[in-house]
Amino acid sequence: MYALMTQLELVLLLLLLAFGWTAGGRAFRLVYSGSGKLLRRKASGLWICLLLVTALALALLADIAWMVRAYDPVYWQDRLFLHAPLILLPAGAVWIFAAPVLLRLRRAAGDAGEASPQPEARRLAVSPRLIVPFQLTALGALAALYFTFMPPVAQRLAEVAIPLCLLPLASAALWMRHARRARKLGAAAEPPVYRRWRQTLLHLSVVAVIAAAAGSGLTLAAESSRLPAAMSMMAGTADYGGGSAEASGHDHSGAHAPVHGAGTVSVTELTGPSEGEPDRRFELIAQRTTVRLGSGRTVEAWTYNGAAPGPELRMKRGELIEVTLTNRDIEDGVTIHWHGLDVPNAEDGVAGATQNAVMPGDRHIYRFRAEQVGTFWYHSHQNSREAVQKGLFGPLIVEPEDSPAFAPAADITVLTHRWNGRLAIGLNDGLERRTIPAGTAVRLRLIHTDDWIRQPYRLTGAPFRVAAIDGAELHEPDELRDARLVLTTGGRYDITFVMPEEGPVLLSAGDQGKVGLLLSPGDAAAAPVPDIPPPAADFDPLGYGSPAPTPFGPASRFDREFTMVLDNRLGFYNGRFEQLYTINGAVFPDTPMFMVREGDLVKTTIVNRGAVDHPMHLHGHHVLVLSRNGVPASGSPWWSDTLDVTPGDTYEVAFRADNPGIWMDHCHNLTHAAIGMTMHLAYEGVVTPFTIGGPAANHPE
Ligand code: C2O
Ligand code: CU
């Protein structure tokens, strides 16, 4: 609804600009009417404009009032205190100043008939009181539009102050111009003639002056947005979330050496176990490969081990894992980030923060203990937007230590991605059929890796449960039927069901059943494709399952409280004009850096004021969802590592700062991250020797 109301505001503002502009032009040309009759008719036309402009202004105010009623101030304070006056004041001026003149004008023009208008009518028609208010409605709408695309933020007061100062100046200039014109035309003996070319020339020169001023401003902005050749990840402004900046008497006895206080710790020291024979070894070789989709289409992919997606890494909880990454021929360099698995910081695989990108011919060894059970994935975190889109990713599954070997037929990873725009599960861009005996307990591990697409899934043919979200098991999940599941980029759902006697069961990626898995207890090849009924509802984790104890909750005392306001803004990033996606009004490296100390209990409020959804992903930690839009989470504890924050949503989440390091916290729509929608969670005292850019050419996004 929020997105709808903001879009409505945008449309109404554009209409107001258009009608205000037209009305201003009509008012300006009144005096050139050749006859009293014509003047009268045009004045009547202007009444219609006046009513239209008023209606638009009122609709805008209603839209804003609706937001004020339904949402927190963060969503509407700029609208109420900035947009509303910019709309209301000119609309009021039209009624106070222009409308009376218009009334008198109609009367004065009425007697003339076919003859040219009376001098009194002409005098009224050029009155600035009549013309300028109409022009101001357009100017006000323009200013409100500007503030829609450049929402005001405290750090950049000039962006509000300058246009706000320009407005009265522009109004005064308009007034003076029309007053002069009124003196000239009002005194002239002859009815004035409209000289179109003169007007056009005048308009063009005004436009040229404005364009020149704007152009130089834009060039300046473009230049100042250029990123330095090398910079530290820790360039942001520190935000201590209400905690003190200095190490106080906190006594946190964690497993790690305390990292605060006098000394500093380098991320390179925050490794997994460096000693010990690993329980499992994996070799991943990054290489370019041509892969073939199920339909036969080929894709030039970037792969691990020549496979896209990369090989499934399966392990058991508690095992020591060693992964050797070798880069064969990915010139941009590669890393591996274990998305959702909360490994020690040095193993996190972020180029420029925890390591240097691995260049062709080089290798890097990751060692960590798999501490969480669940469904995860791995991907390169060097140039990740392009790397993930091209295929440098794969599934990672951690099984419980005591689990019997899963029957592979019943434990199925369903990884959805778009290859050159074609949706596929793995590489299968059609329907895959499998036979599964009736009575088998099936777990489907949905992983969605595709950028900036909220991927819907439908399961038809059996009741099912969402057993886990982002790798974390849910407590007593309810049975669902015909629910629609929507996964955000980077998110995971595990769904479980028992294969019914009567098949088949269809898992459809998308709503149409064209891409999916057809599971049948009998001969899968012969099974008919079931129809997908209309969805009962979209699955919502907020009240799903039943509550269970959590280590902290909404009533806990938090050591740090942070706010992340997500929004859009037009601007430059590294010299290019973009629709920017901002965190607290800024893009990296100007985004804040949330500072914590080991042991802190942290609460973050995430607000999406913008127009598109942002799956927010914090590395190294899982957050517990406390509430959404003021409604407390009431179902199973909902732990997330990739939280889909849609427009108009306010989430409160909490986590324990128990994994020292410097952690990326970014939007997993990697196209957003690539233009600055990233920031960091940093533990006090932790430093990194790595840089973004520089000789190592690290570009995490
Ligand atoms: Cu899956 Cu920082 O990423
Ligand atoms: Cu985003």
Side-chain angles (χ1 to χ4, degrees):
M1 199 57 185
Y2 172 78
L4 205 73
M5 296 312 268
T6 54
Q7 278 156 21
L8 180 65
E9 190 195 9
L10 199 63
V11 171
L12 290 172
L13 279 176
L14 285 169
L15 286 175
L16 184 60
L17 174 63
F19 281 111
W21 182 275
T22 321
R26 281 167 166 245
F28 176 84
R29 289 191 301 270
L30 275 179
V31 72
Y32 304 114
S33 315
S35 69
K37 205 167 120 197
L38 196 59
L39 178 58
R40 195 185 158 86
R41 214 176 56 224
K42 291 201 166 163
S44 305
L46 211 50
W47 267 111
I48 296 176
C49 287
L50 190 154
L51 293 177
L52 260 174
V53 164
T54 311
L56 284 170
L58 289 178
L60 274 160
L61 292 179
D63 185 295
I64 293 170
W66 187 88
M67 285 197 220
V68 170
R69 242 201 62 231
Y71 288 96
D72 286 340
V74 61
Y75 291 97
W76 48 255
Q77 48 202 8
D78 56 333
R79 298 189 159 91
L80 184 64
F81 298 117
L82 207 52
H83 304 193
L86 287 171
I87 297 157
L88 200 61
L89 292 178
V94 169
W95 281 97
I96 294 169
F97 298 107
V101 179
L102 208 50
L103 273 179
R104 274 163 43 212
L105 175 63
R106 273 183 60 178
R107 241 177 286 125
D111 321 323
E114 294 300 333
S116 57
Q118 303 285 327
E120 165 68 359
R122 252 201 283 145
R123 199 183 56 74
L124 288 168
V126 289
S127 161
R129 296 165 71 88
L130 173 62
I131 301 169
V132 175
F134 280 111
Q135 295 178 327
L136 289 187
T137 58
L139 205 60
L142 191 65
L145 277 169
Y146 170 86
F147 289 123
T148 304
F149 291 110
M150 305 286 284
V153 275
Q155 310 91 284
R156 286 193 310 275
L157 227 50
E159 282 176 11
V160 185
I162 293 172
L164 275 187
C165 294
L166 285 177
L167 271 181
L169 283 182
S171 316
L174 278 174
W175 188 275
M176 270 152 55
R177 164 166 192 235
H178 285 288
R180 218 181 57 213
R181 175 173 179 258
R183 278 196 300 278
K184 218 172 93 195
L185 295 188
E190 290 299 301
V193 239
Y194 182 52
R195 293 202 206 83
R196 180 172 293 280
W197 59 269
R198 248 188 80 179
Q199 279 310 314
T200 317
L201 218 61
L202 187 72
H203 280 163
L204 282 182
S205 46
V206 170
V207 167
V209 169
I210 292 174
S216 44
L218 288 178
T219 319
L220 224 79
E223 281 314 310
S224 70
S225 81
R226 287 207 189 278
L227 300 175
M231 63 177 160
S232 165
M233 272 259 177
M234 309 184 69
T237 3
D239 177 347
Y240 291 89
S244 69
E246 297 94 303
S248 62
H250 274 226
D251 182 19
H252 303 302
S253 33
H256 297 271
V259 295
H260 56 272
T264 57
V265 173
S266 164
V267 297
T268 54
E269 296 168 56
L270 300 168
T271 61
S274 47
E275 307 278 298
E277 190 54 22
D279 298 296
R280 272 173 220 263
R281 282 202 166 89
F282 297 101
E283 291 257 356
L284 291 177
I285 300 169
Q287 54 191 280
R288 294 165 184 266
T289 318
T290 305
V291 295
R292 195 174 286 277
L293 299 182
S295 61
R297 290 175 172 77
T298 55
V299 177
E300 300 304 319
W302 293 0
T303 67
Y304 292 112
N305 296 1
E312 178 167 300
L313 308 186
R314 266 197 190 252
M315 54 199 74
K316 289 194 188 288
R317 176 162 56 192
E319 287 181 341
L320 180 59
I321 306 301
E322 185 179 291
V323 183
T324 306
L325 165 66
T326 311
N327 182 356
R328 183 172 292 166
D329 58 3
I330 307 292
E331 271 134 42
D332 291 15
V334 293
T335 67
I336 308 177
H337 165 61
W338 320 97
H339 182 118
L341 202 61
D342 301 330
V343 298
N345 195 221
E347 316 296 339
D348 196 43
V350 178
T354 64
Q355 68 173 94
N356 280 329
V358 179
M359 290 300 167
D362 290 347
R363 32 177 247 158
H364 185 93
I365 294 173
Y366 299 92
R367 283 170 65 99
F368 55 83
R369 233 172 246 295
E371 312 265 21
Q372 302 145 265
V373 168
T375 304
F376 308 96
W377 62 299
Y378 60 90
H379 62 80
S380 179
H381 222 306
Q382 160 77 349
N383 194 5
S384 63
R385 183 188 56 80
E386 192 178 6
V388 171
Q389 186 248 318
K390 291 202 161 146
L392 278 173
F393 60 82
L396 188 160
I397 314 294
V398 184
E399 300 174 358
E401 47 275 66
D402 52 359
S403 68
F406 266 103
D411 185 358
I412 305 169
T413 300
V414 179
L415 190 152
T416 43
H417 192 74
R418 274 171 183 71
W419 304 97
N420 292 348
R422 273 187 82 78
L423 175 65
I425 293 175
L427 283 178
N428 201 336
D429 52 350
L431 209 56
E432 186 189 333
R433 290 162 182 270
R434 291 199 196 187
T435 300
I436 292 186
T440 310
V442 181
R443 178 178 284 250
L444 301 179
R445 301 174 183 271
L446 311 184
I447 306 174
H448 176 52
T449 60
D450 206 48
D451 204 34
W452 203 357
I453 299 229
R454 303 178 73 227
Q455 180 61 45
Y457 303 84
R458 297 294 309 279
L459 188 91
T460 310
F464 65 98
R465 296 169 203 274
V466 176
I469 298 177
D470 291 352
E473 287 292 303
L474 297 183
H475 184 239
E476 297 179 349
D478 311 296
E479 197 168 84
L480 298 170
R481 217 176 251 280
D482 295 331
R484 187 166 179 266
L485 305 176
V486 180
L487 259 190
T488 193
T489 302
R492 286 93 61 216
Y493 285 152
D494 286 18
I495 59 181
T496 56
F497 63 93
V498 175
M499 194 66 198
E501 296 289 332
E502 300 291 319
V505 173
L506 171 67
L507 174 86
S508 164
D511 292 301
Q512 277 121 42
K514 297 230 165 61
V515 178
L517 271 182
L518 189 68
L519 308 175
S520 169
D523 178 12
V529 180
D531 286 334
I532 302 175
D538 274 7
F539 168 69
D540 180 2
L542 196 69
Y544 181 72
S546 60
T550 49
F552 42 84
S556 302
R557 206 190 57 77
F558 293 98
D559 302 294
R560 315 263 170 171
E561 299 196 18
F562 298 107
T563 305
M564 276 172 121
V565 178
L566 316 177
D567 206 347
N568 323 23
R569 178 163 67 85
L570 288 181
F572 289 90
Y573 192 69
N574 203 10
R576 279 186 46 184
F577 191 70
E578 306 266 9
Q579 161 81 273
L580 298 176
Y581 303 97
T582 55
I583 303 173
N584 295 355
V587 288
F588 185 77
D590 301 323
T591 42
M593 208 163 48
F594 290 168
M595 304 298 301
V596 295
R597 231 171 263 155
E598 190 177 1
D600 278 350
L601 191 56
V602 184
K603 177 163 132 182
T604 308
T605 305
I606 311 174
V607 173
N608 186 352
R609 268 182 49 100
V612 296
D613 70 299
H614 299 293
M616 297 310 291
H617 171 52
L618 169 63
H619 287 208
H621 306 74
H622 272 69
V623 302
L624 178 67
V625 175
L626 303 177
S627 74
R628 182 181 63 211
N629 303 332
V631 181
S634 58
S636 159
W638 173 14
W639 296 91
S640 171
D641 59 51
T642 315
L643 186 64
D644 190 22
V645 187
T646 56
D649 274 350
T650 299
Y651 277 96
E652 287 179 309
V653 301
F655 65 91
R656 175 74 68 186
D658 57 3
N659 197 2
I662 296 171
W663 301 99
M664 291 208 73
D665 191 354
H666 63 98
C667 175
H668 220 286
N669 285 334
L670 296 174
T671 41
H672 297 182
I675 51 172
M677 201 175 204
T678 73
M679 53 167 287
H680 300 91
L681 172 75
Y683 283 63
E684 289 175 32
V686 180
V687 293
T688 175
F690 304 106
T691 57
I692 299 183
N698 294 320
H699 295 287
E701 303 306 337

